[in-house]
Structures are given as structure tokens and as C-alpha cells.
Amino acid sequence: MTTAKTPQSPPDFTLPDPPKTPDEKMTASKHLSITGSAHFLVQHLGNADTTIVGSDLYITSVPTGELADMTGVPYPDLMIALNADPVLYEAHNGYVISEQGKPPDFVLEVASRSTGRRDTIDKRVIYAGLGVPEYWRFDETGHYHGARLAGDRLSDGRYEPITIDELPDGSLQGHSAVLNVNLRWTSGQLGWHDPNTGEHVPTMESERAALAQEQQARAQAEARVRELEEQIRQLRGE
């Protein structure tokens, strides 16, 4: 397993920040940032020191300077790399395959009005060429990608479709072998589920709900204790 490294000197290059259209920012934020998916995925996958969960930064095969033409270089809505170096990722402002020693393991694009065709056609070729083992696409409505949930797995240098199942409640689900999680489309929302338990990977909302439930249970227990103490005092005639 790769151990995260700390550069001894400042990096000799830094990738530029990618452009982002308003609708791209809105759709990605809705399904990834606001729910806290990226943060909780790191917790679920474990090994935070050697796991990169990032977004909106370039993926390149080799280093490139800030003045280089970045046309066609992808910057996915979500990228996950296992056994990689988060320090280098931050230092270079992006994922450089030659520096990391391996391509990212997983990439996901969230559909938007301006990216539908690129996500389903152009980026399949690009990510396959970079050697990304799994490329996933999520579309809230299915209007832009032509499918609400789709995934591809690299086989002999080409992407083969990952099976997507329809669940009894109408949800769509596919299994990511590289992450060992199930991706699920449910009523237009992106969900991540543990295949061993079937439980949803925690989100900010579920964590808040669990905390509220815990606080309510504690308050009820304390109220019951006070009630019992009062009954004891009455029995003693106090």
C-alpha cells in the first residue's frame, strides 16, 4: 500500500483551476457538496492518508505548466483514488498520473445542460485512455445523459457497461467493484450504499437526524429518571 508522502520542497508546477459553467456548479453541488457525500465517502472508504476524494480539478497523464493548453483535459465532478498521495494532489492542484504512479480508480460526472454530450461520448474515450478503471454518470432526470444512472468498467483498454438494476421501489442501482459500494438513483437523488448491510453511507442530513434522535432519547431518559426520583420521594413522604 502506498504511504502518503510530504514533499520536501514546493512543487515545480501547479495546474490551473479549471473553468466551470454555472449549471455545472449547481448540479454538482446539489448532489455532492451540499449532502456532504465526498466527506462521508472518505470516512466510509477508510485510509484517509492514502485516499483522495476530490472534484473540479484536472486529471493529467503528465505534468503541465500553467500556460499549457488545457483544452480537452478532464476535471470530473468526483474523482476517487485509493492508495494515492493526497499531499501531492493538493500541492499540484490536480491529479497527475505520472506523479501518483497510477490513474484514479473511480470518476463520476453529474449531468448538466452544458455537459451531457461530452459526458456520454467524449469523456468515455478520455477516461479510458487515461486508464481509469470505472467511469460513472449520474443524471437527475435522464434528459442529458439518456440514462439516469450508468457506469463503465475498463476491460482490455475499453469500457464495458456495468449492470444497472431496477429495485422494487423504482430506484436504480449499480455496484462499484473498485470502491465496493452501490451507487443508487432514488427520486432524482444520488445515494451511496454499503452492499454488505444495505445501509446508506452517512450524509450530513442522516448524521443530523441521528444526533437529534440521540438527544431526544437522552432527554426522555433524563425525564424518566426525574419522574422516578419524584415517585421515590413521595413514597418516603418527603
Side-chain angles (χ1 to χ4, degrees):
M1 178 178 292
T2 302
T3 301
K5 304 176 286 298
T6 301
Q8 298 301 312
S9 59
D12 54 0
F13 70 93
T14 303
L15 297 174
D17 292 328
K20 201 77 169 174
T21 64
D23 67 318
E24 287 179 280
K25 291 181 180 179
M26 180 178 65
T27 53
S29 175
K30 178 179 180 180
H31 295 289
L32 297 172
S33 302
I34 293 176
T35 61
S37 291
H39 167 76
F40 287 103
L41 273 175
V42 173
Q43 308 305 312
H44 178 75
L45 295 171
N47 299 317
D49 290 342
T50 57
T51 299
I52 300 172
V53 177
S55 63
D56 298 335
L57 293 179
Y58 286 116
I59 300 175
T60 70
S61 57
V62 295
T64 181
E66 288 193 19
L67 298 180
D69 182 5
M70 303 300 288
T71 302
V73 180
Y75 46 97
D77 291 317
L78 181 65
M79 181 217 70
I80 300 176
L82 308 174
N83 299 324
D85 189 341
V87 176
L88 277 179
Y89 180 70
E90 294 294 332
H92 294 312
N93 196 42
Y95 195 95
V96 183
I97 295 174
S98 63
E99 297 284 313
Q100 295 284 351
K102 61 186 289 291
D105 297 274
F106 176 102
V107 163
L108 178 139
E109 298 284 7
V110 178
S112 67
R113 186 181 304 275
S114 63
T115 65
R117 177 179 173 80
R118 284 190 288 133
D119 290 347
T120 56
I121 299 177
D122 300 340
K123 290 182 183 178
R124 289 184 80 251
V125 175
I126 292 171
Y127 289 131
L130 291 173
V132 177
E134 286 188 3
Y135 172 41
W136 287 80
R137 296 167 298 286
F138 176 84
D139 189 337
E140 180 178 351
T141 65
H143 293 162
Y144 305 125
H145 285 167
R148 294 183 173 96
L149 180 67
D152 291 302
R153 187 169 292 122
L154 200 62
S155 176
D156 295 328
R158 298 172 60 89
Y159 277 137
E160 298 292 339
I162 295 172
T163 300
I164 303 297
D165 298 315
E166 183 171 357
L167 305 183
D169 65 356
S171 298
L172 302 175
Q173 178 173 280
H175 178 70
S176 168
V178 295
L179 302 183
N180 191 31
V181 298
N182 291 336
L183 282 76
R184 190 177 296 180
W185 180 100
T186 304
S187 300
Q189 298 297 314
L190 174 62
W192 308 81
H193 293 255
D194 186 331
N196 298 316
T197 65
E199 296 295 324
H200 197 295
V201 172
T203 63
M204 289 181 180
E205 182 178 351
S206 66
E207 290 289 278
R208 284 195 296 266
L211 179 59
Q213 185 176 12
E214 180 182 344
Q215 291 172 338
Q216 182 181 15
R218 185 182 299 115
Q220 291 174 342
E222 292 172 350
R224 180 56 178 162
V225 169
R226 290 193 296 271
E227 180 182 343
L228 292 173
E229 290 174 342
E230 178 61 25
Q231 291 176 358
I232 292 173
R233 284 195 293 269
Q234 291 177 0
L235 290 173
R236 290 176 176 175
E238 298 178 358

mmCIF file of all heavy atoms in Angstrom, residues 4-54:
data_model
loop_
_atom_site.group_PDB
_atom_site.id
_atom_site.type_symbol
_atom_site.label_atom_id
_atom_site.label_comp_id
_atom_site.label_asym_id
_atom_site.label_seq_id
_atom_site.Cartn_x
_atom_site.Cartn_y
_atom_site.Cartn_z
ATOM 1 N N ALA A 4 1.202 8.004 2.112
ATOM 2 C CA ALA A 4 1.189 9.404 1.713
ATOM 3 C C ALA A 4 2.523 10.047 2.016
ATOM 4 O O ALA A 4 3.104 9.839 3.076
ATOM 5 C CB ALA A 4 0.067 10.152 2.425
ATOM 6 N N LYS A 5 3.006 10.863 1.060
ATOM 7 C CA LYS A 5 4.310 11.487 1.200
ATOM 8 C C LYS A 5 4.158 12.990 1.359
ATOM 9 O O LYS A 5 3.224 13.583 0.844
ATOM 10 C CB LYS A 5 5.168 11.189 -0.038
ATOM 11 C CG LYS A 5 5.323 9.707 -0.322
ATOM 12 C CD LYS A 5 6.080 9.481 -1.597
ATOM 13 C CE LYS A 5 5.253 9.788 -2.828
ATOM 14 N NZ LYS A 5 4.076 8.943 -2.969
ATOM 15 N N THR A 6 5.081 13.589 2.050
ATOM 16 C CA THR A 6 5.099 15.033 2.198
ATOM 17 C C THR A 6 6.250 15.587 1.379
ATOM 18 O O THR A 6 7.403 15.252 1.611
ATOM 19 C CB THR A 6 5.305 15.443 3.673
ATOM 20 O OG1 THR A 6 4.244 14.890 4.445
ATOM 21 C CG2 THR A 6 5.303 16.957 3.802
ATOM 22 N N PRO A 7 5.965 16.422 0.351
ATOM 23 C CA PRO A 7 7.051 16.964 -0.468
ATOM 24 C C PRO A 7 8.052 17.739 0.378
ATOM 25 O O PRO A 7 7.678 18.460 1.298
ATOM 26 C CB PRO A 7 6.304 17.893 -1.442
ATOM 27 C CG PRO A 7 4.895 17.387 -1.467
ATOM 28 C CD PRO A 7 4.644 16.868 -0.095
ATOM 29 N N GLN A 8 9.332 17.575 0.072
ATOM 30 C CA GLN A 8 10.367 18.256 0.832
ATOM 31 C C GLN A 8 10.548 19.698 0.388
ATOM 32 O O GLN A 8 11.138 20.502 1.083
ATOM 33 C CB GLN A 8 11.688 17.490 0.683
ATOM 34 C CG GLN A 8 11.631 16.063 1.221
ATOM 35 C CD GLN A 8 11.270 16.015 2.689
ATOM 36 O OE1 GLN A 8 11.848 16.747 3.497
ATOM 37 N NE2 GLN A 8 10.311 15.176 3.040
ATOM 38 N N SER A 9 10.055 20.040 -0.821
ATOM 39 C CA SER A 9 10.166 21.395 -1.337
ATOM 40 C C SER A 9 8.899 21.720 -2.113
ATOM 41 O O SER A 9 8.143 20.823 -2.485
ATOM 42 C CB SER A 9 11.394 21.518 -2.243
ATOM 43 O OG SER A 9 11.297 20.600 -3.321
ATOM 44 N N PRO A 10 8.643 23.002 -2.382
ATOM 45 C CA PRO A 10 7.445 23.365 -3.122
ATOM 46 C C PRO A 10 7.419 22.676 -4.482
ATOM 47 O O PRO A 10 8.462 22.439 -5.090
ATOM 48 C CB PRO A 10 7.573 24.886 -3.267
ATOM 49 C CG PRO A 10 8.460 25.291 -2.136
ATOM 50 C CD PRO A 10 9.429 24.165 -1.962
ATOM 51 N N PRO A 11 6.233 22.327 -4.991
ATOM 52 C CA PRO A 11 6.152 21.658 -6.293
ATOM 53 C C PRO A 11 6.672 22.557 -7.405
ATOM 54 O O PRO A 11 6.566 23.781 -7.334
ATOM 55 C CB PRO A 11 4.641 21.390 -6.446
ATOM 56 C CG PRO A 11 3.984 22.420 -5.587
ATOM 57 C CD PRO A 11 4.912 22.609 -4.420
ATOM 58 N N ASP A 12 7.263 21.936 -8.441
ATOM 59 C CA ASP A 12 7.817 22.717 -9.536
ATOM 60 C C ASP A 12 6.760 23.110 -10.563
ATOM 61 O O ASP A 12 7.062 23.798 -11.538
ATOM 62 C CB ASP A 12 8.962 21.959 -10.220
ATOM 63 C CG ASP A 12 8.528 20.568 -10.670
ATOM 64 O OD1 ASP A 12 7.345 20.218 -10.454
ATOM 65 O OD2 ASP A 12 9.366 19.856 -11.228
ATOM 66 N N PHE A 13 5.531 22.677 -10.359
ATOM 67 C CA PHE A 13 4.438 23.093 -11.229
ATOM 68 C C PHE A 13 3.124 22.988 -10.460
ATOM 69 O O PHE A 13 2.990 22.223 -9.518
ATOM 70 C CB PHE A 13 4.375 22.224 -12.493
ATOM 71 C CG PHE A 13 3.919 20.807 -12.217
ATOM 72 C CD1 PHE A 13 2.577 20.452 -12.316
ATOM 73 C CD2 PHE A 13 4.844 19.843 -11.855
ATOM 74 C CE1 PHE A 13 2.172 19.154 -12.049
ATOM 75 C CE2 PHE A 13 4.442 18.541 -11.593
ATOM 76 C CZ PHE A 13 3.100 18.198 -11.693
ATOM 77 N N THR A 14 2.170 23.811 -10.876
ATOM 78 C CA THR A 14 0.827 23.783 -10.305
ATOM 79 C C THR A 14 -0.176 23.882 -11.439
ATOM 80 O O THR A 14 -0.067 24.772 -12.288
ATOM 81 C CB THR A 14 0.607 24.953 -9.329
ATOM 82 O OG1 THR A 14 1.594 24.901 -8.297
ATOM 83 C CG2 THR A 14 -0.775 24.886 -8.711
ATOM 84 N N LEU A 15 -1.117 22.997 -11.471
ATOM 85 C CA LEU A 15 -2.114 23.020 -12.530
ATOM 86 C C LEU A 15 -3.069 24.198 -12.323
ATOM 87 O O LEU A 15 -3.369 24.567 -11.189
ATOM 88 C CB LEU A 15 -2.906 21.710 -12.533
ATOM 89 C CG LEU A 15 -2.106 20.439 -12.819
ATOM 90 C CD1 LEU A 15 -2.993 19.213 -12.648
ATOM 91 C CD2 LEU A 15 -1.517 20.458 -14.218
ATOM 92 N N PRO A 16 -3.559 24.774 -13.403
ATOM 93 C CA PRO A 16 -4.500 25.888 -13.264
ATOM 94 C C PRO A 16 -5.860 25.396 -12.778
ATOM 95 O O PRO A 16 -6.182 24.207 -12.869
ATOM 96 C CB PRO A 16 -4.598 26.444 -14.688
ATOM 97 C CG PRO A 16 -4.294 25.271 -15.558
ATOM 98 C CD PRO A 16 -3.263 24.466 -14.817
ATOM 99 N N ASP A 17 -6.664 26.319 -12.252
ATOM 100 C CA ASP A 17 -8.034 25.981 -11.881
ATOM 101 C C ASP A 17 -8.866 25.821 -13.150
ATOM 102 O O ASP A 17 -8.803 26.673 -14.042
ATOM 103 C CB ASP A 17 -8.648 27.080 -11.015
ATOM 104 C CG ASP A 17 -7.994 27.159 -9.642
ATOM 105 O OD1 ASP A 17 -7.563 26.103 -9.136
ATOM 106 O OD2 ASP A 17 -7.935 28.269 -9.089
ATOM 107 N N PRO A 18 -9.658 24.757 -13.252
ATOM 108 C CA PRO A 18 -10.479 24.573 -14.447
ATOM 109 C C PRO A 18 -11.629 25.575 -14.489
ATOM 110 O O PRO A 18 -12.067 26.080 -13.456
ATOM 111 C CB PRO A 18 -11.031 23.143 -14.280
ATOM 112 C CG PRO A 18 -10.175 22.511 -13.236
ATOM 113 C CD PRO A 18 -9.738 23.615 -12.341
ATOM 114 N N PRO A 19 -12.145 25.852 -15.688
ATOM 115 C CA PRO A 19 -13.354 26.681 -15.797
ATOM 116 C C PRO A 19 -14.564 25.853 -15.376
ATOM 117 O O PRO A 19 -14.521 24.624 -15.375
ATOM 118 C CB PRO A 19 -13.412 27.014 -17.287
ATOM 119 C CG PRO A 19 -12.759 25.833 -17.939
ATOM 120 C CD PRO A 19 -11.650 25.409 -17.002
ATOM 121 N N LYS A 20 -15.629 26.523 -14.997
ATOM 122 C CA LYS A 20 -16.836 25.815 -14.606
ATOM 123 C C LYS A 20 -18.041 26.689 -14.904
ATOM 124 O O LYS A 20 -18.128 27.821 -14.437
ATOM 125 C CB LYS A 20 -16.792 25.493 -13.109
ATOM 126 C CG LYS A 20 -17.704 24.350 -12.682
ATOM 127 C CD LYS A 20 -17.122 23.009 -13.038
ATOM 128 C CE LYS A 20 -17.903 21.874 -12.373
ATOM 129 N NZ LYS A 20 -17.446 20.554 -12.814
ATOM 130 N N THR A 21 -18.964 26.177 -15.718
ATOM 131 C CA THR A 21 -20.149 26.953 -16.043
ATOM 132 C C THR A 21 -21.111 26.931 -14.850
ATOM 133 O O THR A 21 -21.069 26.014 -14.025
ATOM 134 C CB THR A 21 -20.861 26.377 -17.276
ATOM 135 O OG1 THR A 21 -21.329 25.051 -16.977
ATOM 136 C CG2 THR A 21 -19.934 26.345 -18.470
ATOM 137 N N PRO A 22 -22.009 27.925 -14.762
ATOM 138 C CA PRO A 22 -22.944 27.987 -13.623
ATOM 139 C C PRO A 22 -23.786 26.730 -13.456
ATOM 140 O O PRO A 22 -24.017 26.280 -12.338
ATOM 141 C CB PRO A 22 -23.808 29.209 -13.950
ATOM 142 C CG PRO A 22 -22.924 30.082 -14.787
ATOM 143 C CD PRO A 22 -22.110 29.130 -15.620
ATOM 144 N N ASP A 23 -24.267 26.146 -14.564
ATOM 145 C CA ASP A 23 -25.122 24.972 -14.411
ATOM 146 C C ASP A 23 -24.317 23.754 -13.973
ATOM 147 O O ASP A 23 -24.818 22.885 -13.258
ATOM 148 C CB ASP A 23 -25.900 24.673 -15.700
ATOM 149 C CG ASP A 23 -25.008 24.240 -16.851
ATOM 150 O OD1 ASP A 23 -23.942 24.844 -17.017
ATOM 151 O OD2 ASP A 23 -25.391 23.317 -17.589
ATOM 152 N N GLU A 24 -23.039 23.680 -14.358
ATOM 153 C CA GLU A 24 -22.188 22.595 -13.880
ATOM 154 C C GLU A 24 -22.000 22.700 -12.368
ATOM 155 O O GLU A 24 -22.091 21.711 -11.643
ATOM 156 C CB GLU A 24 -20.820 22.646 -14.561
ATOM 157 C CG GLU A 24 -20.802 22.214 -16.012
ATOM 158 C CD GLU A 24 -19.410 22.315 -16.595
ATOM 159 O OE1 GLU A 24 -18.993 23.422 -16.968
ATOM 160 O OE2 GLU A 24 -18.728 21.279 -16.651
ATOM 161 N N LYS A 25 -21.713 23.917 -11.895
ATOM 162 C CA LYS A 25 -21.514 24.128 -10.463
ATOM 163 C C LYS A 25 -22.762 23.778 -9.679
ATOM 164 O O LYS A 25 -22.708 23.148 -8.624
ATOM 165 C CB LYS A 25 -21.124 25.583 -10.205
ATOM 166 C CG LYS A 25 -19.752 25.969 -10.718
ATOM 167 C CD LYS A 25 -19.436 27.432 -10.406
ATOM 168 C CE LYS A 25 -18.061 27.825 -10.914
ATOM 169 N NZ LYS A 25 -17.763 29.240 -10.649
ATOM 170 N N MET A 26 -23.920 24.172 -10.194
ATOM 171 C CA MET A 26 -25.171 23.972 -9.481
ATOM 172 C C MET A 26 -25.507 22.489 -9.350
ATOM 173 O O MET A 26 -25.847 22.008 -8.269
ATOM 174 C CB MET A 26 -26.309 24.697 -10.202
ATOM 175 C CG MET A 26 -27.659 24.553 -9.524
ATOM 176 S SD MET A 26 -28.948 25.483 -10.384
ATOM 177 C CE MET A 26 -28.998 24.603 -11.950
ATOM 178 N N THR A 27 -25.401 21.745 -10.454
ATOM 179 C CA THR A 27 -25.789 20.340 -10.413
ATOM 180 C C THR A 27 -24.814 19.515 -9.583
ATOM 181 O O THR A 27 -25.226 18.650 -8.811
ATOM 182 C CB THR A 27 -25.878 19.763 -11.833
ATOM 183 O OG1 THR A 27 -24.650 20.020 -12.530
ATOM 184 C CG2 THR A 27 -27.012 20.380 -12.604
ATOM 185 N N ALA A 28 -23.530 19.760 -9.721
ATOM 186 C CA ALA A 28 -22.550 19.012 -8.940
ATOM 187 C C ALA A 28 -22.710 19.309 -7.459
ATOM 188 O O ALA A 28 -22.651 18.405 -6.603
ATOM 189 C CB ALA A 28 -21.136 19.353 -9.396
ATOM 190 N N SER A 29 -22.912 20.571 -7.119
ATOM 191 C CA SER A 29 -23.077 20.960 -5.720
ATOM 192 C C SER A 29 -24.311 20.307 -5.119
ATOM 193 O O SER A 29 -24.289 19.830 -3.980
ATOM 194 C CB SER A 29 -23.172 22.482 -5.602
ATOM 195 O OG SER A 29 -23.440 22.868 -4.270
ATOM 196 N N LYS A 30 -25.380 20.249 -5.886
ATOM 197 C CA LYS A 30 -26.642 19.701 -5.384
ATOM 198 C C LYS A 30 -26.496 18.252 -4.965
ATOM 199 O O LYS A 30 -27.058 17.826 -3.957
ATOM 200 C CB LYS A 30 -27.724 19.826 -6.465
ATOM 201 C CG LYS A 30 -29.069 19.246 -6.063
ATOM 202 C CD LYS A 30 -30.088 19.440 -7.178
ATOM 203 C CE LYS A 30 -31.438 18.858 -6.794
ATOM 204 N NZ LYS A 30 -32.442 19.027 -7.861
ATOM 205 N N HIS A 31 -25.749 17.471 -5.721
ATOM 206 C CA HIS A 31 -25.686 16.040 -5.460
ATOM 207 C C HIS A 31 -24.423 15.588 -4.730
ATOM 208 O O HIS A 31 -24.362 14.441 -4.273
ATOM 209 C CB HIS A 31 -25.814 15.277 -6.780
ATOM 210 C CG HIS A 31 -27.136 15.454 -7.447
ATOM 211 N ND1 HIS A 31 -28.295 14.893 -6.959
ATOM 212 C CD2 HIS A 31 -27.500 16.175 -8.539
ATOM 213 C CE1 HIS A 31 -29.312 15.231 -7.737
ATOM 214 N NE2 HIS A 31 -28.854 16.005 -8.700
ATOM 215 N N LEU A 32 -23.424 16.467 -4.611
ATOM 216 C CA LEU A 32 -22.177 16.052 -3.970
ATOM 217 C C LEU A 32 -21.800 16.924 -2.785
ATOM 218 O O LEU A 32 -21.595 16.431 -1.676
ATOM 219 C CB LEU A 32 -21.040 16.052 -5.000
ATOM 220 C CG LEU A 32 -21.180 15.071 -6.155
ATOM 221 C CD1 LEU A 32 -20.094 15.307 -7.191
ATOM 222 C CD2 LEU A 32 -21.151 13.642 -5.653
ATOM 223 N N SER A 33 -21.717 18.221 -2.968
ATOM 224 C CA SER A 33 -21.213 19.106 -1.920
ATOM 225 C C SER A 33 -22.211 19.330 -0.803
ATOM 226 O O SER A 33 -21.899 19.205 0.380
ATOM 227 C CB SER A 33 -20.801 20.458 -2.521
ATOM 228 O OG SER A 33 -19.830 20.280 -3.514
ATOM 229 N N ILE A 34 -23.464 19.678 -1.182
ATOM 230 C CA ILE A 34 -24.462 20.019 -0.173
ATOM 231 C C ILE A 34 -24.744 18.840 0.751
ATOM 232 O O ILE A 34 -24.916 18.993 1.965
ATOM 233 C CB ILE A 34 -25.762 20.507 -0.847
ATOM 234 C CG1 ILE A 34 -25.513 21.838 -1.553
ATOM 235 C CG2 ILE A 34 -26.890 20.663 0.161
ATOM 236 C CD1 ILE A 34 -26.704 22.352 -2.336
ATOM 237 N N THR A 35 -24.805 17.636 0.193
ATOM 238 C CA THR A 35 -25.101 16.461 1.015
ATOM 239 C C THR A 35 -23.892 15.976 1.806
ATOM 240 O O THR A 35 -24.019 15.131 2.681
ATOM 241 C CB THR A 35 -25.592 15.298 0.130
ATOM 242 O OG1 THR A 35 -24.552 14.955 -0.803
ATOM 243 C CG2 THR A 35 -26.847 15.679 -0.632
ATOM 244 N N GLY A 36 -22.716 16.494 1.476
ATOM 245 C CA GLY A 36 -21.511 16.049 2.167
ATOM 246 C C GLY A 36 -21.020 14.700 1.705
ATOM 247 O O GLY A 36 -20.267 14.025 2.402
ATOM 248 N N SER A 37 -21.442 14.273 0.492
ATOM 249 C CA SER A 37 -21.097 12.944 0.002
ATOM 250 C C SER A 37 -19.592 12.699 0.001
ATOM 251 O O SER A 37 -19.116 11.636 0.417
ATOM 252 C CB SER A 37 -21.639 12.743 -1.416
ATOM 253 O OG SER A 37 -23.038 12.680 -1.412
ATOM 254 N N ALA A 38 -18.825 13.677 -0.493
ATOM 255 C CA ALA A 38 -17.380 13.486 -0.598
ATOM 256 C C ALA A 38 -16.756 13.236 0.763
ATOM 257 O O ALA A 38 -15.951 12.311 0.943
ATOM 258 C CB ALA A 38 -16.741 14.700 -1.269
ATOM 259 N N HIS A 39 -17.120 14.056 1.747
ATOM 260 C CA HIS A 39 -16.543 13.913 3.091
ATOM 261 C C HIS A 39 -16.862 12.544 3.678
ATOM 262 O O HIS A 39 -15.977 11.850 4.203
ATOM 263 C CB HIS A 39 -17.084 15.009 4.000
ATOM 264 C CG HIS A 39 -16.796 14.780 5.457
ATOM 265 N ND1 HIS A 39 -15.546 14.991 6.006
ATOM 266 C CD2 HIS A 39 -17.583 14.341 6.471
ATOM 267 C CE1 HIS A 39 -15.580 14.700 7.301
ATOM 268 N NE2 HIS A 39 -16.795 14.292 7.608
ATOM 269 N N PHE A 40 -18.120 12.124 3.597
ATOM 270 C CA PHE A 40 -18.507 10.871 4.228
ATOM 271 C C PHE A 40 -18.006 9.657 3.460
ATOM 272 O O PHE A 40 -17.821 8.584 4.045
ATOM 273 C CB PHE A 40 -20.023 10.826 4.419
ATOM 274 C CG PHE A 40 -20.494 11.739 5.521
ATOM 275 C CD1 PHE A 40 -21.088 12.946 5.238
ATOM 276 C CD2 PHE A 40 -20.289 11.403 6.850
ATOM 277 C CE1 PHE A 40 -21.503 13.793 6.249
ATOM 278 C CE2 PHE A 40 -20.692 12.252 7.868
ATOM 279 C CZ PHE A 40 -21.304 13.448 7.580
ATOM 280 N N LEU A 41 -17.768 9.815 2.151
ATOM 281 C CA LEU A 41 -17.170 8.712 1.409
ATOM 282 C C LEU A 41 -15.760 8.424 1.905
ATOM 283 O O LEU A 41 -15.346 7.270 1.998
ATOM 284 C CB LEU A 41 -17.142 9.040 -0.085
ATOM 285 C CG LEU A 41 -18.388 8.678 -0.883
ATOM 286 C CD1 LEU A 41 -18.259 9.172 -2.306
ATOM 287 C CD2 LEU A 41 -18.626 7.175 -0.867
ATOM 288 N N VAL A 42 -15.014 9.480 2.213
ATOM 289 C CA VAL A 42 -13.667 9.291 2.758
ATOM 290 C C VAL A 42 -13.742 8.487 4.047
ATOM 291 O O VAL A 42 -12.967 7.544 4.271
ATOM 292 C CB VAL A 42 -12.975 10.647 3.017
ATOM 293 C CG1 VAL A 42 -11.654 10.434 3.744
ATOM 294 C CG2 VAL A 42 -12.726 11.385 1.716
ATOM 295 N N GLN A 43 -14.690 8.842 4.920
ATOM 296 C CA GLN A 43 -14.833 8.128 6.179
ATOM 297 C C GLN A 43 -15.218 6.672 5.946
ATOM 298 O O GLN A 43 -14.714 5.764 6.617
ATOM 299 C CB GLN A 43 -15.900 8.813 7.051
ATOM 300 C CG GLN A 43 -15.702 10.309 7.249
ATOM 301 C CD GLN A 43 -14.331 10.650 7.809
ATOM 302 O OE1 GLN A 43 -13.883 10.044 8.769
ATOM 303 N NE2 GLN A 43 -13.664 11.610 7.184
ATOM 304 N N HIS A 44 -16.095 6.446 4.987
ATOM 305 C CA HIS A 44 -16.557 5.090 4.717
ATOM 306 C C HIS A 44 -15.457 4.231 4.103
ATOM 307 O O HIS A 44 -15.294 3.060 4.465
ATOM 308 C CB HIS A 44 -17.766 5.131 3.778
ATOM 309 C CG HIS A 44 -18.278 3.772 3.399
ATOM 310 N ND1 HIS A 44 -18.997 2.980 4.261
ATOM 311 C CD2 HIS A 44 -18.171 3.063 2.230
ATOM 312 C CE1 HIS A 44 -19.311 1.842 3.668
ATOM 313 N NE2 HIS A 44 -18.818 1.862 2.431
ATOM 314 N N LEU A 45 -14.696 4.807 3.175
ATOM 315 C CA LEU A 45 -13.659 4.038 2.495
ATOM 316 C C LEU A 45 -12.472 3.755 3.396
ATOM 317 O O LEU A 45 -11.765 2.768 3.215
ATOM 318 C CB LEU A 45 -13.194 4.790 1.240
ATOM 319 C CG LEU A 45 -14.241 4.960 0.137
ATOM 320 C CD1 LEU A 45 -13.722 5.897 -0.949
ATOM 321 C CD2 LEU A 45 -14.629 3.617 -0.452
ATOM 322 N N GLY A 46 -12.245 4.641 4.390
ATOM 323 C CA GLY A 46 -11.123 4.460 5.303
ATOM 324 C C GLY A 46 -9.798 4.869 4.684
ATOM 325 O O GLY A 46 -9.728 5.291 3.532
ATOM 326 N N ASN A 47 -8.725 4.750 5.454
ATOM 327 C CA ASN A 47 -7.374 5.075 4.987
ATOM 328 C C ASN A 47 -7.300 6.471 4.383
ATOM 329 O O ASN A 47 -6.874 6.673 3.244
ATOM 330 C CB ASN A 47 -6.889 4.050 3.958
ATOM 331 C CG ASN A 47 -6.826 2.650 4.518
ATOM 332 O OD1 ASN A 47 -6.378 2.436 5.639
ATOM 333 N ND2 ASN A 47 -7.293 1.687 3.752
ATOM 334 N N ALA A 48 -7.741 7.464 5.166
ATOM 335 C CA ALA A 48 -7.785 8.843 4.665
ATOM 336 C C ALA A 48 -6.408 9.340 4.230
ATOM 337 O O ALA A 48 -6.313 10.191 3.337
ATOM 338 C CB ALA A 48 -8.363 9.761 5.740
ATOM 339 N N ASP A 49 -5.345 8.821 4.829
ATOM 340 C CA ASP A 49 -3.999 9.269 4.481
ATOM 341 C C ASP A 49 -3.579 8.851 3.076
ATOM 342 O O ASP A 49 -2.655 9.434 2.501
ATOM 343 C CB ASP A 49 -2.975 8.729 5.489
ATOM 344 C CG ASP A 49 -3.103 9.389 6.848
ATOM 345 O OD1 ASP A 49 -3.720 10.470 6.923
ATOM 346 O OD2 ASP A 49 -2.600 8.814 7.833
ATOM 347 N N THR A 50 -4.238 7.832 2.518
ATOM 348 C CA THR A 50 -3.870 7.361 1.180
ATOM 349 C C THR A 50 -5.075 7.318 0.244
ATOM 350 O O THR A 50 -5.053 6.612 -0.763
ATOM 351 C CB THR A 50 -3.230 5.962 1.257
ATOM 352 O OG1 THR A 50 -4.148 5.054 1.898
ATOM 353 C CG2 THR A 50 -1.929 6.003 2.027
ATOM 354 N N THR A 51 -6.112 8.059 0.578
ATOM 355 C CA THR A 51 -7.311 8.106 -0.256
ATOM 356 C C THR A 51 -7.585 9.546 -0.673
ATOM 357 O O THR A 51 -7.617 10.442 0.170
ATOM 358 C CB THR A 51 -8.529 7.549 0.496
ATOM 359 O OG1 THR A 51 -8.286 6.185 0.855
ATOM 360 C CG2 THR A 51 -9.782 7.613 -0.386
ATOM 361 N N ILE A 52 -7.771 9.755 -1.966
ATOM 362 C CA ILE A 52 -8.120 11.071 -2.486
ATOM 363 C C ILE A 52 -9.569 11.033 -2.942
ATOM 364 O O ILE A 52 -9.949 10.203 -3.763
ATOM 365 C CB ILE A 52 -7.231 11.475 -3.679
ATOM 366 C CG1 ILE A 52 -5.751 11.510 -3.274
ATOM 367 C CG2 ILE A 52 -7.662 12.837 -4.223
ATOM 368 C CD1 ILE A 52 -4.810 11.723 -4.454
ATOM 369 N N VAL A 53 -10.374 11.906 -2.389
ATOM 370 C CA VAL A 53 -11.732 12.138 -2.879
ATOM 371 C C VAL A 53 -11.785 13.614 -3.235
ATOM 372 O O VAL A 53 -11.804 14.472 -2.359
ATOM 373 C CB VAL A 53 -12.797 11.775 -1.836
ATOM 374 C CG1 VAL A 53 -14.192 12.095 -2.364
ATOM 375 C CG2 VAL A 53 -12.709 10.298 -1.468
ATOM 376 N N GLY A 54 -11.764 13.910 -4.523
ATOM 377 C CA GLY A 54 -11.678 15.301 -4.961
ATOM 378 C C GLY A 54 -12.640 15.602 -6.078
ATOM 379 O O GLY A 54 -13.323 14.712 -6.615
#
